[in-house]
Amino acid sequence: MLALELELPRDAFNLKIETRLAQQGIWGIMGSSGCGKTSLLRCIAGLEKQAKGRIVFNGQIWLDSKNKTCIAPEQRNIGYIFQEARLFPHLTVAGNLQFAVKRATGKNISSYEDIVEQCGIAHLLNRNIDKLSGGEKQRVAIARALLSNPQLLLMDEPLASLDWSSKIAFIPCLRNIYQHFNIPIVIVSHAREEVARLADYLMIMERGRVFKQGLCNQLLKESVYGEHASGAILSVLDGEVVGHDPNYLLTELEVDGYRLVANQTDMNVGDKTRLVLSAHDISLVLDDVKMTSVQNKLHLEISDVQPVDAYHQAVTLKLGEQLLTAVVTKKSAELLELSMGNKVFAHFKASGLEVV
Amino acid sequence: MLITAILLTAKLAFLTTVILLLIGIPLAWKLSVMKSRFRPVIEAVVGLPLVLPPTVLGFYLLMLFSPNTSLGAFWQEMTGSTLAFSFTGLVFASVIYSLPFVVQPLQRAFEQLDHGLLEAAAMLGARPIDRFLNIVIPNSLRALLLAGCMGFAHTVGEFGVVLMIGGNIPGETQVLSIALFDAVETQQFDQAHSLAAGLLVFAMVLLVLLYSIDRRRIS
């Protein structure tokens, strides 16, 4: 999809990227602040004039400094969502959208009405920009970008300016945009929680270089102990909705043959889903406790025990082909004699299991 | 005589303002985005009329307008008259003299503009001219109004340059400030009073309007 050979001089260190983002889907770019994530995104968009190298997107050459080719940003047909939305203050919401419509080239990815509805901004059209909340601004920015019929969406920390509840409300909207419009998305974030909920593939950056890249689930587990991301340690699982329990408002899920229970969602039976579970919400028990209020109780084998810091240990458990990470204190780990190969019961509440 | 001077001054100030905006907007934009080390030199040249005695400027312009220079000769060839002591010469001089009053507020406004908006517009497919006309200009309307008014008011208020290159020809170069000077010289104090008071009130009203617009922008 996207082939990159890039060099960009920067104050602290040079950005030097050589990679291919081969798979279509949502790509997350993660790394600590100042590692060059945003610069990379700006290079792809053509906003960094000093960038040297080669960028090829689906056969289109956007940059080839050897042959002195550099396509201007306005001709790359990219939708760019900036961290601060960057709506035009002299226009209303509808005016901002029309700005994009008037300049759009190529085939319409969808109708105006559909895009407005998918982004949930139909009630905002006549508002002035300064009357919008942070989340509303980002929704308008995304609708505006979609209306320019982009062939690629770049998002620079689109959730950074939002509070946690707005973030939670926004994530399904972003995933839905990928599924509905089928445009590849590259999203930059420094927060593991965001990437875990959004990305299919992940590139981890460190001081201007690619540190690792691959499937999001896989990489997030490997980078649990790294300093490449901020936020809580968590597990990402792929599962399927197998039933609903309307009496108790619960949804039943299956992950590699294991049955899990989460708070009820509006997904349909048979839907593939992603589950996010914080490592701190899991407690480990040696005995098979029968009477407990906890809904999820799995008997799993420990595949790895690693220190997180001086007082905590991360215990990785095999859940079929997937992995589940729990964080316990060092004291508990020693008391329970947790080590590789042992089997333990992992307990967690239905409300701790988030269905994305 | 008074009406002629008022009309002449208004015509001069209006024409000068239009030309100044046409020159000043692109010049101010170029300066606001320029990274070259010559930028201070260009800014100094633009700003010269702020500090130079108007007579110095007038003197050099008079020299430049003389048929012995290439510009003067060219002008005489084309029109059959000299630039000095003509209305066209006054417009020419006023444009130079009032240039900083238009360029500087515009440059400040362009520098304060969120250039991120231009990147956002580019990503939506807007080319440079499109971005300038549809993002930069609409977001700088107050500065444009301020620059236009300052250019107009300053042209109305000029005296030294006009005296040097325009002289005192009614209907051609006798603007209000010159008419006032003339009235005092010939001891027509009634006329001098009304001219002086008129110019004072005009300047006061314009500045109050301008500053009230400015205040609203801040709050």
Side-chain angles (χ1 to χ4, degrees), chain A residues 60-80:
Chain A
Q60 307 161 31
I61 297 168
W62 281 347
L63 177 72
D64 189 348
S65 31
K66 279 200 193 98
N67 294 318
K68 300 232 185 306
T69 304
C70 179
I71 305 296
E74 60 267 27
Q75 286 164 319
R76 294 190 187 189
N77 207 4
I78 295 175
Y80 198 121

Side-chain angles (χ1 to χ4, degrees), chain A residues 42 45 47 73-75 78 80 82 86-90 99-100 103-104 144-145 148, chain B residues 114-128 130-131 134-135 138-139:
Chain A
R42 291 176 58 82
L47 296 171
E74 60 267 27
Q75 286 164 319
I78 295 175
Y80 198 121
F82 297 90
R86 298 197 184 172
L87 301 178
F88 305 132
H90 63 293
F99 190 96
R103 290 159 183 82
R144 188 176 70 170
S148 67
Chain B
D114 176 8
H115 284 243
L117 295 178
L118 298 179
E119 290 184 349
M123 297 318 298
L124 295 170
R127 286 160 192 274
D130 186 3
R131 303 201 285 265
N134 291 303
I135 304 295
N139 281 297

Side-chain angles (χ1 to χ4, degrees), chain A residues 237 253 255-261 277 282-288 294-301 317-320 324 343-348 353:
Chain A
L237 304 167
L253 304 129
V255 176
D256 285 13
Y258 289 88
R259 278 290 175 116
L260 302 179
V261 179
L277 179 60
I282 304 176
S283 53
L284 301 179
V285 184
L286 288 184
D287 312 314
D288 187 2
V294 172
Q295 291 285 333
N296 293 299
K297 193 177 78 174
L298 305 171
H299 198 210
L300 303 172
E301 189 187 319
L317 307 156
K318 274 191 219 162
L319 184 76
L324 192 67
K343 285 196 107 175
V344 290
F345 288 92
H347 289 199
F348 50 93
L353 189 64

Side-chain angles (χ1 to χ4, degrees), chain A residues 1 48-50 53 63 65 71 91 93 99 119 155 164 197 203 209-210 231 256 264-265 308 321:
Chain A
M1 174 178 94
E48 290 291 344
K49 302 284 176 244
Q50 271 120 29
L63 177 72
S65 31
I71 305 296
L91 299 172
V93 170
F99 190 96
C119 295
M155 301 191 179
W164 183 245
R197 287 168 178 82
M203 175 202 282
R209 314 281 162 120
V210 178
D256 285 13
Q264 193 171 36
T265 69
V308 181
E321 294 294 304

Side-chain angles (χ1 to χ4, degrees), chain B residues 12-28 91-103 106 147-148 150-152 154-155 158:
Chain B
L12 174 68
F14 178 75
L15 266 176
T16 304
T17 306
V18 170
I19 296 169
L20 273 175
L21 285 176
L22 290 178
I23 301 172
I25 292 172
L27 180 61
V91 174
F92 194 92
S94 304
V95 166
I96 293 173
Y97 185 54
S98 297
L99 190 62
F101 290 86
V102 172
V103 170
L106 286 179
M150 290 302 277
F152 190 91
H154 192 248
T155 306
E158 75 178 78

